[in-house]
C-alpha cells in the first residue's frame, strides 16, 4: 500500500480511538441519545470527516440506527448499547464499534464478541482465507454458549466506500478468498441470545448515494447538491439535512430519491426473535504484522 494512503488510514484510526474514548466516558443511562450522538459527531468533525452517522443500536436493534431529527430517546439502565462510529481522512475510513450493557459489568454477549474479535486479530495474516477466519469466529462465540448473527458480516474498505467487495461473515462460509497484504477490512462481530438473524425494521434515518437520476422536487435537488459536496458515496443521516427543509419535505424528497434509485436506504436491522445483540468492530490493514488502526 502507498505510504501516504496508509498514513491516512492510520490518522483516521487515531481520531476514531479518541472518539471511542469520548463515547465511553459520556455514555450513561438517563441522557439523550441524540445529544450523545451530536457530541461524538462534532468531536469527529473538528478533527477529520465523518465516514457515516454515529450508529446507536439498542438491545435487539442490531445496526443502522441513528437518531431522527428531534429524537427524544434516552439511554436506560439495562440497555445493551452498540456504538458504531466512522472517521474518514480523504475518504480513507476507520470503522469501529463497541458495546456496553448499562449497569452491568460482565455481559456474556459482549465478552464473546470481544474474545472472537481478539482471536480474529491474533490470527489474521496474508494468505488466511475467509473460510478459516469465519470458522474461527463462529467457534469462539459458540464456546460462550451464544450465537453469531448469520446475516451480518465484516467487510473490506475502499476510498469513500464503506462496504467494499469482501464480506467476512461471523459464521462458517465456504469462501477460499485469501487475504492479501494491503487489504483493509472492518471486522465486526455480532453475538446474540436470539435466533441469529436480523430483519429490516423502521424508521429509516440513514441513506447513501447510489447514482444520478432525474429528480422532480426542489428539496431532492438540494439534498443531491449536499451529497456531491460533502457525503459523496458515504452514508449520511436524515438529521444532517435539517437545515435544507422541514422534516415533512425532507421525508418526501428522500422517498423520491430512493424510488428513483438515486439513494439507497438503510433501515434499522433488528434481531428476528427479539434477542439481544452485542457488536464489536475494528479496522485492520492486513500485513505480516497487521495494523489495527482503531486500537
Ligand atoms: Mn461499523
Ligand atoms: Mn463496518
Amino acid at each position: 500500500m502507498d505510504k501516504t494512503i496508509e498514513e491516512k488510514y492510520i490518522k483516521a484510526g487515531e481520531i476514531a480511538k479518541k472518539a471511542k474514548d469520548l463515547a465511553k466516558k459520556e455514555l450513561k443511562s438517563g441522557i439523550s441519545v441524540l445529544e450523545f450522538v451530536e457530541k461524538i459527531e462534532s468531536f469527529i468533525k473538528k478533527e477529520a470527516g465523518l465516514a457515516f452517522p454515529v450508529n446507536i443500536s439498542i438491545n435487539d436493534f442490531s445496526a443502522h440506527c441513528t437518531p431522527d431529527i428531534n429524537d427524544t430517546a434516552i439511554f436506560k439502565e439495562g440497555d445493551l448499547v452498540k456504538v458504531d462510529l466512522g472517521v474518514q481522512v480523504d475518504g480513507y475510513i476507520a470503522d469501529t464499534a463497541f458495546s456496553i450493557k448499562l449497569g452491568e459489568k460482565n455481559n456474556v454477549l459482549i465478552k464473546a464478541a470481544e474474545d472472537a474479535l481478539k482471536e480474529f486479530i491474533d490470527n489474521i495474516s496474508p494468505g488466511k482465507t475467509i473460510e478459516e477466519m469465519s470458522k474461527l469466529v463462529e467457534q469462539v462465540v459458540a464456546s460462550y454458549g451464544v450465537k453469531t448473527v448469520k446475516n451480518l458480516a465484516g467487510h473490506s474498505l475502499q476510498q469513500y466506500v464503506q462496504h467494499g467487495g469482501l464480506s467476512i461473515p461471523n459464521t462458517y462460509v465456504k469462501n477460499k478468498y485469501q487475504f492479501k497484504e494491503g487489504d483493509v477490512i472492518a471486522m465486526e462481530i455480532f453475538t446474540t441470545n436470539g435466533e441469529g438473524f436480523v430483519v429490516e425494521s423502521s424508521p429509516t434515518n440513514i441513506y447513501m448515494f447510489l447514482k444520478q437520476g432525474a429528480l422532480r422536487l426542489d428539496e431532492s435537488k438540494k439534498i443531491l447538491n449536499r451529497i456531491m459536496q460533502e457525503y459523496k458515496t458515504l452514508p449520511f443521516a436524515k438529521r444532517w439535512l435539517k437545515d435544507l427543509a422541514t422534516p415533512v419535505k425532507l421525508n418526501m424528497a428522500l422517498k423520491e430519491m430512493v424510488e428513483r434509485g438515486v439513494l439507497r436506504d438503510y433501515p434499522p436491522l433488528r434481531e428476528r426473535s427479539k434477542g439481544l445483540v452485542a457488536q464489536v468492530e475494528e479496522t485492520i490493514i492486513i500485513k505480516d504484522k497487521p495494523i489495527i488502526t482503531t486500537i
Side-chain angles (χ1 to χ4, degrees):
M1 179 186 293
D2 186 286
K3 198 73 201 162
T4 60
I5 293 176
E6 186 176 294
E7 281 166 5
K8 286 173 182 177
Y9 273 118
I10 290 171
K11 185 173 178 213
E14 292 294 332
I15 297 159
K17 275 188 251 186
K18 289 185 197 161
K20 247 191 317 196
D21 288 344
L22 176 64
K24 285 176 183 171
K25 186 166 76 85
E26 296 286 335
L27 179 57
K28 49 181 89 65
S29 54
I31 67 165
S32 150
V33 179
L34 177 60
E35 283 175 25
F36 172 81
V37 160
E38 286 179 337
K39 196 173 278 183
I40 309 305
E41 289 183 352
S42 54
F43 171 81
I44 293 171
K45 281 204 292 191
K46 270 190 286 173
E47 309 272 327
L50 285 158
F52 52 84
V54 171
N55 280 219
I56 303 292
S57 305
I58 298 175
N59 296 332
D60 53 318
F61 285 91
S62 311
H64 303 166
C65 299
T66 201
D68 200 346
I69 298 164
N70 302 324
D71 205 307
T72 57
I74 57 162
F75 292 112
K76 294 190 288 294
E77 199 70 353
D79 279 350
L80 202 171
V81 181
K82 295 156 285 289
V83 178
D84 192 336
L85 58 91
V87 177
Q88 55 96 3
V89 173
D90 291 338
Y92 298 103
I93 298 168
D95 182 359
T96 186
F98 67 92
S99 295
I100 287 177
K101 192 157 194 310
L102 293 171
E104 189 182 315
K105 280 242 150 54
N106 293 304
N107 181 268
V108 67
L109 294 173
I110 298 173
K111 288 189 86 164
E114 287 175 345
D115 193 17
L117 185 54
K118 183 181 182 303
E119 285 295 319
F120 185 96
I121 287 168
D122 288 348
N123 284 280
I124 187 73
S125 63
K128 288 282 173 68
T129 61
I130 287 181
E131 182 162 322
E132 55 195 316
M133 297 308 288
S134 63
K135 188 175 174 185
L136 174 69
V137 167
E138 185 175 22
Q139 281 174 343
V140 175
V141 171
S143 75
Y144 283 82
V146 299
K147 290 178 186 165
T148 56
V149 175
K150 309 290 177 286
N151 55 340
L152 289 173
H155 51 93
S156 51
L157 296 168
Q158 288 156 359
Q159 189 182 23
Y160 289 109
V161 180
Q162 193 201 355
H163 291 99
L166 298 179
S167 170
I168 309 146
N170 293 179
T171 307
Y172 176 76
V173 62
K174 268 200 152 112
N175 184 339
K176 302 283 187 202
Y177 177 84
Q178 291 184 302
F179 292 103
K180 58 182 194 303
E181 175 124 7
D183 281 346
V184 184
I185 61 170
M187 187 57 203
E188 50 193 307
I189 293 170
F190 292 87
T191 56
T192 182
N193 59 7
E195 275 178 57
F197 282 96
V198 290
V199 291
E200 290 186 349
S201 178
S202 62
T204 297
N205 287 315
I206 302 175
Y207 297 85
M208 188 180 76
F209 177 75
L210 280 183
K211 61 178 171 55
Q212 293 287 349
L215 293 168
R216 190 175 53 83
L217 299 171
D218 283 345
E219 291 78 13
S220 298
K221 291 169 194 163
K222 282 191 204 166
I223 293 171
L224 188 61
N225 265 329
R226 171 69 58 82
I227 292 168
M228 292 301 122
Q229 283 166 20
E230 293 191 33
Y231 317 140
K232 301 187 170 63
T233 47
L234 291 169
F236 59 90
K238 189 211 294 180
R239 63 189 154 74
W240 294 356
L241 309 169
K242 69 180 178 190
D243 59 308
L244 295 181
T246 62
V248 172
K249 290 202 162 164
L250 279 182
N251 284 342
M252 286 168 61
L254 290 165
K255 184 165 180 279
E256 176 185 60
M257 295 174 87
V258 170
E259 281 171 1
R260 298 192 175 204
V262 174
L263 298 183
R264 69 153 287 183
D265 55 353
Y266 283 97
L269 298 174
R270 193 170 192 183
E271 213 281 327
R272 191 164 64 189
S273 64
K274 309 280 198 291
L276 293 175
V277 175
Q279 176 205 16
V280 293
E281 178 174 24
E282 306 293 354
T283 295
I284 306 166
I285 302 174
I286 312 271
K287 309 178 148 210
D288 286 329
K289 198 175 177 306
I291 300 172
I292 320 304
T293 67
T294 48
I295 290 182

